[in-house]
Amino acid sequence: MKSRVLSGMRPTGKLHFGHLHGVLKNWLRLQDEYECFFFSADWHALTSEYENTENLKDYILDNIIDWLSVGIDPDKATVFVQSKVIEHAELNLIFGMITPLSWLERNPTYKEQLQEIKNKDLQTFGFLGYPVLQAADILIYKAHYVPVGIDQVPHVELTREIARRFNYIFKVELFPVPEPLLTDTPKLLGTDGRKMSKSYNNSIYLSDKPEVIENKILTMMTDPHRVRKTDKGDPDLCPLFLFHKIYTSEEERKEIIHNCKNALFGCRDCKKILLGKMKPEIDSYWEKRNYYTENLDRVNDIISEGNKKAKTFAEKVINEVRNAVGL
Ligand code: TRP
């Protein structure tokens, strides 16, 4: 029996290379080793985007097309949409009954976001309950591992506490206590050297045409101190070099460092080398993306199949839950 892995992503925009190297490459490795469930967390998107739902469906489809294009394989992993498996909602409701308010109010992510996000009203029941819903997502599949970024660890912690509390109150060993899977992911920055984010307009999207990606790399910021080609550069200050760390071999990178530090080549030469390395991957994604966008029926079939598989699993567990609770 393989252990189960579950992870989700909120469909709040197009996916970029930060998502590729921060999340998707991880999922690709995991799908070969574990029984994986990967889903688009549309209810979680609603917790903060409840006033902007006009693009929600498009983002779900677009995100899942990206997953498939980079190699998430529906024969290996179950790919589905959260709101199509209503058992998550029933479990969320039941967990709501046993989760102390104080656990939610002291959640660091919650406190931080209330502080930081001022353009939306997040003083809602749904937003406070975000981690309860996340616990339901995880535990409805009795997942053992949850690959997440460091920012999500408090949510997995809460999931562990909720699993234990449920088992204790209802005197069952129904839920495993899941573990976060923290893998260190390479850091990437946007084309302007800041964090890659849609709000900065500095992202390289998985859905960008190969020419567009090429152009974004060629105009990307490099070491800001290297103004002229004759200036010596420092790869450690260069956002482009973060891409080289992913795409270029150690040996070639040594040469790049040497050439940069001694001004033996220009940034444009360095970018051309990088693009040569990225090209096979970019072309392959683009080719698969084209296939899926031209065969949307196929994508919708994959999603319906995934929804069905997820639901079959979730139905069994929700029945066990109803029994344990005494409903
Ligand atoms: N909260 C996660 C994020 O913002 C998305 C998510 C929702 C999730 N449910 C999940 C991740 C369950 C892992 C497991 O990234």
Side-chain angles (χ1 to χ4, degrees), residues 212-280:
V212 172
I213 296 181
E214 188 168 333
N215 196 42
K216 285 184 177 176
I217 296 278
L218 287 175
T219 53
M220 181 164 176
M221 197 191 103
T222 53
D223 173 2
H225 308 291
R226 197 171 182 210
V227 184
R228 283 176 215 84
K229 199 170 164 173
T230 48
D231 295 339
K232 292 178 177 178
D234 183 353
D236 288 335
L237 302 177
C238 178
L240 188 84
F241 192 67
L242 297 170
F243 281 80
H244 273 298
K245 283 186 178 165
I246 295 173
Y247 288 98
T248 312
S249 72
E250 181 111 43
E251 206 156 310
E252 289 164 302
R253 227 162 37 235
K254 273 193 199 138
E255 196 179 323
I256 287 167
I257 295 170
H258 178 76
N259 287 340
C260 177
K261 286 192 167 168
N262 297 291
L264 299 175
F265 71 2
C267 291
R268 196 177 168 86
D269 305 308
C270 186
K271 289 170 169 176
K272 291 268 181 188
I273 296 170
L274 174 68
L275 281 169
K277 299 287 173 188
M278 291 177 76
K279 189 161 174 47

Side-chain angles (χ1 to χ4, degrees), residues 39-87:
F39 72 102
S40 184
D42 52 351
W43 279 328
H44 275 109
L46 277 189
T47 60
S48 56
E49 302 303 319
Y50 55 88
E51 285 185 300
N52 313 301
T53 55
E54 58 287 340
N55 296 321
L56 191 57
K57 278 193 179 147
D58 291 342
Y59 286 147
I60 293 172
L61 189 68
D62 192 74
N63 287 182
I64 293 180
I65 289 176
D66 282 335
W67 301 357
L68 298 171
S69 304
V70 307
I72 296 298
D73 180 349
D75 289 330
K76 294 180 184 164
T78 304
V79 170
F80 69 100
V81 176
Q82 184 186 34
S83 66
K84 301 295 181 208
V85 187
I86 49 158
E87 287 75 8

Side-chain angles (χ1 to χ4, degrees), residues 43-315:
W43 279 328
H44 275 109
L46 277 189
T47 60
S48 56
E49 302 303 319
Y50 55 88
E51 285 185 300
N52 313 301
T53 55
E54 58 287 340
N55 296 321
L56 191 57
K57 278 193 179 147
D58 291 342
Y59 286 147
I60 293 172
L61 189 68
D62 192 74
N63 287 182
I64 293 180
I65 289 176
D66 282 335
W67 301 357
L68 298 171
S69 304
V70 307
I72 296 298
D73 180 349
D75 289 330
K76 294 180 184 164
T78 304
V79 170
F80 69 100
V81 176
Q82 184 186 34
S83 66
K84 301 295 181 208
V85 187
I86 49 158
E87 287 75 8
H88 292 223
E90 186 174 339
L91 189 57
N92 173 52
L93 184 137
I94 290 175
F95 283 167
M97 307 300 168
I98 65 164
T99 306
L101 268 181
S102 59
W103 290 6
L104 301 176
E105 284 162 350
R106 70 169 188 226
N107 164 20
T109 320
Y110 177 70
K111 289 196 284 189
E112 237 171 69
Q113 298 205 325
L114 275 190
Q115 285 283 320
E116 272 169 29
I117 304 175
K118 289 282 174 233
N119 58 342
K120 291 172 206 153
D121 183 0
L122 297 179
Q123 304 281 355
T124 61
F125 180 52
F127 190 70
L128 179 67
Y130 186 113
V132 181
L133 180 58
Q134 186 158 346
D137 297 336
I138 296 166
L139 296 173
I140 195 79
Y141 302 101
K142 297 186 176 179
H144 305 97
Y145 297 110
V146 187
V148 284
I150 189 96
D151 61 309
Q152 292 291 313
V153 170
H155 290 165
V156 182
E157 261 319 309
L158 249 154
T159 302
R160 292 163 59 82
E161 291 181 49
I162 291 173
R164 286 198 202 99
R165 186 164 164 88
F166 183 99
N167 292 344
Y168 173 75
I169 291 178
F170 299 110
K171 301 181 181 58
V172 281
E173 278 303 314
L174 208 156
F175 294 118
V177 178
E179 312 250 358
L181 264 192
L182 270 176
T183 18
D184 43 13
T185 49
K187 198 175 153 60
L188 270 188
L189 293 172
T191 51
D192 59 356
R194 292 187 291 174
K195 177 181 152 71
M196 199 181 282
S197 156
K198 77 173 165 191
S199 42
Y200 292 154
N201 201 15
N202 64 358
S203 299
I204 304 176
Y205 292 103
L206 288 170
S207 48
D208 282 339
K209 281 200 184 103
E211 305 91 273
V212 172
I213 296 181
E214 188 168 333
N215 196 42
K216 285 184 177 176
I217 296 278
L218 287 175
T219 53
M220 181 164 176
M221 197 191 103
T222 53
D223 173 2
H225 308 291
R226 197 171 182 210
V227 184
R228 283 176 215 84
K229 199 170 164 173
T230 48
D231 295 339
K232 292 178 177 178
D234 183 353
D236 288 335
L237 302 177
C238 178
L240 188 84
F241 192 67
L242 297 170
F243 281 80
H244 273 298
K245 283 186 178 165
I246 295 173
Y247 288 98
T248 312
S249 72
E250 181 111 43
E251 206 156 310
E252 289 164 302
R253 227 162 37 235
K254 273 193 199 138
E255 196 179 323
I256 287 167
I257 295 170
H258 178 76
N259 287 340
C260 177
K261 286 192 167 168
N262 297 291
L264 299 175
F265 71 2
C267 291
R268 196 177 168 86
D269 305 308
C270 186
K271 289 170 169 176
K272 291 268 181 188
I273 296 170
L274 174 68
L275 281 169
K277 299 287 173 188
M278 291 177 76
K279 189 161 174 47
E281 190 176 278
I282 294 171
D283 287 349
S284 138
Y285 292 167
W286 183 246
E287 194 185 312
K288 287 205 237 159
R289 204 169 207 289
N290 266 337
Y291 166 79
Y292 287 116
T293 42
E294 281 166 19
N295 294 276
L296 285 179
D297 287 352
R298 174 88 191 102
V299 181
N300 285 313
D301 282 350
I302 290 172
I303 299 174
S304 311
E305 271 303 303
N307 292 341
K308 236 194 275 169
K309 268 205 257 171
K311 195 171 171 71
T312 304
F313 198 109
E315 270 172 347

